[in-house]
Amino acid sequence: MEISKKIYEEKPKNLWKSADLKHYQVHVKLSSPDSTTESEEKDERVVYMEDLEKRKKVYGICGECNEPGTGFFWCQPCNAKRFKDNFKNWTSGNQDIDKLIQQSQLNAVSCGKFLEWIPFENFKNVKYIASGGFGKIYSANWPEGYIYYWNIENQEWKRNSNRNVALKSLDNSSNISAEFLNEIEAHLQVHLFDVVQCRGITLDPVTKNYMMILKYCEHGNLKNYLNKSKSFVDYNSKIQILFRISRGLLDIHDAGKVHKDFHSGNILFSSVPFISDLGMCQPANNEVIEGGVYGVIPYMAPEVLRGYQYTKASDIYSFGIVINELISEETPFNDIPHDHFLAINICKGIRPKIHKSTPKLLKDLIIKCWDTKAENRPTVRELHQILKKWAQGNNEGSEISLQIKNYNRSMKQRFKNKKNIQSHPQAIYTSRLLNLKNLPEPENSSDLTSFQFNYDANYASQSELTNQISECFDTQLSESDLNEINQDNENNTDE
């Protein structure tokens, strides 16, 4: 008895038993697999917490408590205790933020579902990148990196060290705002591969503004990605991009939320695209902001421009504009002011030009997405399924193959002859507060694929509207912001 006890004590604790990496997923739902709601439909990305055998296979078994993990090398009960024991060793200086971080750590079921408080001095090479609608973005190096899992053998956190991150501040957040906390909570509630991940919070010692620590996307947003790409992005590559974006939007909608500010500036690129800027991401039944709506006019659904509640269908409209922007490589309405007159024409059915070589199947999908009637637009799940099929190469029939070849030929020629195009100085692609009044009842144009209008001629006949522009917008861009919206795309003309 003594010998066996001695052998047992000398034997090291069991480490994590290997997980089945082929089936490893980071997305975990706490609901029952028998649930029938749309957000809980069977999905290959979901491992249900109640399914113990599947958890053992996918996540392995904790070598300390001998229970199945809740995430890859992650044991929620064991790690919650470690985090709680460390609460006394840090503070953000704000009780609301401390509570948010602490609750995220106690409830985390995987390595991507919690926040840390990181002192600002832990970051190196902090550099200003840009200003958004409500704050500033910086890049930085994080030598220590974020927590990945608990190393049982060494009894310490294993971190992904030396990471480049983005630090996003919110103006005047020294007095913490609901918007700042809402965006952080949205990142925790909506997490998968296709949504920018928030790792923690820090404090700018100069401005005293709190900052989110986000994944750094080195290629910038969708516009920058296309403009700076040194290689031609063909049709199939673009479908892969759209498929990943649809998967991210599906996760947002499945979480019962609406993005509310979905445009190409909020789609960032690393090696793959990520949806970002969840600051407006709120429950789908939230009312609109009193006194106006936030957004970028070319991407906003007609009903939202008219002051109606944001819905999931509003996001689909915006996604339709993004699809066409990626396929045509033309920024929507970049040669005219984004003002009350444009909002009127969007309600009357004006849409961006669809490139003449766009394959018909995709053209039809785009038009369906930006239909004036919200009920006629596809759901994000339908979009996701369609794009998944196309991304897998299921383009049956010789006709669609010929259309794709024609598209690639046309766009490759455009890529070779790429020109620097100056956007109109009042074409504004950052989110701002809009108070648009007296807009007409939305309607579809008789021909959405070829609708064009002479802005200057029509604008003259609407002179009384110009007097309302200063009343419509309460946010102005700096010169540097205006320079950022200059595009390297062609004007709205076909090859």
Side-chain angles (χ1 to χ4, degrees):
M1 186 74 175
E2 290 290 327
I3 296 176
S4 14
K5 182 178 180 181
K6 183 178 180 181
I7 293 175
Y8 178 80
E9 290 174 344
E10 290 177 351
K11 183 179 179 180
K13 289 184 178 181
N14 291 331
L15 304 184
W16 278 92
K17 294 183 180 179
S18 297
D20 186 346
L21 296 182
K22 291 188 297 183
H23 296 92
Y24 162 56
Q25 309 294 340
V26 298
H27 188 59
V28 179
K29 289 187 178 178
L30 300 177
S31 52
S32 166
D34 297 326
S35 178
T36 57
T37 62
E38 178 187 5
S39 66
E40 294 166 355
E41 289 181 8
K42 286 186 178 180
D43 193 312
E44 67 272 15
R45 297 169 296 165
V46 175
V47 176
Y48 289 101
M49 293 290 291
E50 292 84 354
D51 192 338
L52 297 181
E53 292 306 314
K54 182 173 287 188
R55 281 170 57 193
K56 290 178 183 179
K57 178 181 179 182
V58 176
Y59 294 138
I61 299 175
C62 175
E64 293 185 323
C65 68
N66 208 36
E67 291 294 321
T70 56
F72 185 55
F73 288 171
W74 194 269
C75 179
Q76 188 271 331
C78 291
N79 289 337
K81 184 179 184 304
R82 294 184 187 100
F83 282 130
K84 187 174 183 179
D85 290 342
N86 192 48
F87 285 172
K88 62 181 178 295
N89 296 325
W90 62 267
T91 180
S92 68
N94 180 284
Q95 290 184 350
D96 291 332
I97 291 180
D98 284 357
K99 183 177 179 180
L100 176 64
I101 294 174
Q102 290 171 3
Q103 287 300 315
S104 75
Q105 293 180 350
L106 293 175
N107 298 329
V109 294
S110 68
C111 66
K113 301 292 286 185
F114 68 92
L115 305 167
E116 290 185 82
W117 171 254
I118 306 298
F120 191 82
E121 57 265 25
N122 287 23
F123 300 102
K124 308 298 180 185
N125 301 319
V126 179
K127 298 178 181 178
Y128 170 80
I129 298 178
S131 294
F134 312 103
K136 296 179 175 60
I137 309 292
Y138 301 81
S139 65
N141 179 259
W142 187 8
E144 183 183 31
Y146 60 84
I147 290 174
Y148 190 37
Y149 63 87
W150 178 257
N151 187 313
I152 297 175
E153 183 178 14
N154 297 330
Q155 290 292 293
E156 64 183 10
W157 289 114
K158 170 65 177 177
R159 290 178 174 269
N160 273 354
S161 59
N162 197 32
R163 313 303 296 181
N164 290 325
V165 294
L167 303 179
K168 178 180 179 180
S169 70
L170 188 69
D171 293 339
N172 302 317
S173 62
S174 53
N175 296 318
I176 197 66
S177 68
E179 289 81 5
F180 184 80
L181 294 177
N182 176 72
E183 178 162 4
I184 296 172
E185 289 176 333
H187 279 277
L188 289 174
Q189 295 167 6
V190 183
H191 167 63
L192 237 177
F193 294 106
D194 310 294
V195 177
V196 169
Q197 203 165 349
C198 182
R199 294 293 185 179
I201 306 174
T202 189
L203 178 70
D204 187 327
V206 177
T207 65
K208 303 302 179 182
N209 286 329
Y210 287 97
M211 311 173 83
M212 291 188 295
I213 306 165
L214 302 168
K215 176 182 175 61
Y216 178 71
C217 296
E218 64 273 14
H219 298 303
N221 60 33
L222 177 62
K223 301 183 187 73
N224 294 332
Y225 174 76
L226 290 174
N227 292 339
K228 295 179 180 179
S229 176
K230 296 182 180 180
S231 58
F232 171 63
V233 183
D234 65 10
Y235 178 85
N236 289 332
S237 298
K238 290 178 180 178
I239 293 298
Q240 290 286 345
I241 290 171
L242 292 171
F243 162 66
R244 287 180 175 272
I245 296 171
S246 74
R247 192 168 63 182
L249 188 58
L250 175 62
D251 284 323
I252 292 173
H253 286 190
D254 272 358
K257 294 181 176 293
V258 179
H259 190 286
K260 298 188 178 184
D261 195 22
F262 196 77
H263 58 83
S264 60
N266 284 338
I267 298 171
L268 305 181
F269 277 80
S270 185
S271 55
V272 293
F274 294 88
I275 296 176
S276 72
D277 201 359
L278 304 185
M280 292 293 291
C281 190
Q282 298 174 5
N285 59 355
N286 267 24
E287 296 297 326
V288 296
I289 300 168
E290 186 176 353
V293 291
Y294 285 103
V296 179
I297 289 180
Y299 300 87
M300 297 172 70
E303 68 270 17
V304 175
L305 289 171
R306 297 186 74 236
Y308 286 90
Q309 181 177 324
Y310 284 97
T311 64
K312 294 178 181 179
S314 307
D315 280 348
I316 298 301
Y317 177 94
S318 304
F319 194 14
I321 302 294
V322 169
I323 294 174
N324 186 61
E325 180 176 0
L326 177 62
I327 296 299
S328 68
E329 298 188 19
E330 293 181 358
T331 309
F333 306 123
N334 74 324
D335 56 349
I336 58 175
H338 294 174
D339 55 18
H340 193 271
F341 183 53
L342 175 58
I344 288 176
N345 278 281
I346 289 174
C347 289
K348 288 183 176 181
I350 183 176
R351 301 292 185 267
K353 185 76 172 178
I354 296 179
H355 194 275
K356 66 180 182 180
S357 65
T358 302
K360 186 178 185 304
L361 283 173
L362 188 54
K363 184 185 300 183
D364 292 343
L365 183 63
I366 292 170
I367 293 174
K368 191 174 182 181
C369 286
W370 64 33
D371 194 291
T372 292
K373 294 184 178 180
E375 62 269 23
N376 292 340
R377 300 168 197 160
T379 66
V380 69
R381 189 171 295 278
E382 291 170 338
L383 266 180
H384 174 70
Q385 291 170 347
I386 291 170
L387 291 168
K388 181 178 180 179
K389 178 181 177 181
W390 293 350
Q392 292 172 340
N394 297 330
N395 298 314
E396 299 177 359
S398 58
E399 180 61 30
I400 182 63
S401 298
L402 289 174
Q403 291 177 19
I404 292 173
K405 288 180 180 178
N406 179 55
Y407 170 84
N408 284 333
R409 187 183 307 113
S410 175
M411 298 305 292
K412 195 167 188 177
Q413 185 62 38
R414 169 179 288 191
F415 176 79
K416 292 178 179 178
N417 301 324
K418 185 183 292 186
K419 300 176 182 177
N420 292 328
I421 301 299
Q422 183 79 16
S423 292
H424 193 285
Q426 294 179 44
I428 301 172
Y429 292 97
T430 54
S431 300
R432 52 188 175 152
L433 180 62
L434 306 166
N435 189 9
L436 302 166
K437 299 178 180 179
N438 302 318
L439 297 181
E441 190 72 25
E443 60 184 72
N444 282 326
S445 169
S446 58
D447 184 4
L448 293 177
T449 66
S450 60
F451 188 97
Q452 289 181 313
F453 72 106
N454 185 320
Y455 187 86
D456 292 335
N458 283 285
Y459 200 86
S461 66
Q462 302 282 342
S463 58
E464 68 276 10
L465 296 178
T466 62
N467 297 326
Q468 301 178 22
I469 294 176
S470 60
E471 300 174 3
C472 296
F473 305 143
D474 71 349
T475 303
Q476 295 182 347
L477 295 179
S478 65
E479 182 177 353
S480 62
D481 291 328
L482 290 174
N483 289 336
E484 288 179 12
I485 66 174
N486 292 338
Q487 305 300 316
D488 295 332
N489 298 325
E490 302 248 16
N491 272 319
N492 292 329
T493 56
D494 286 330
E495 291 289 322

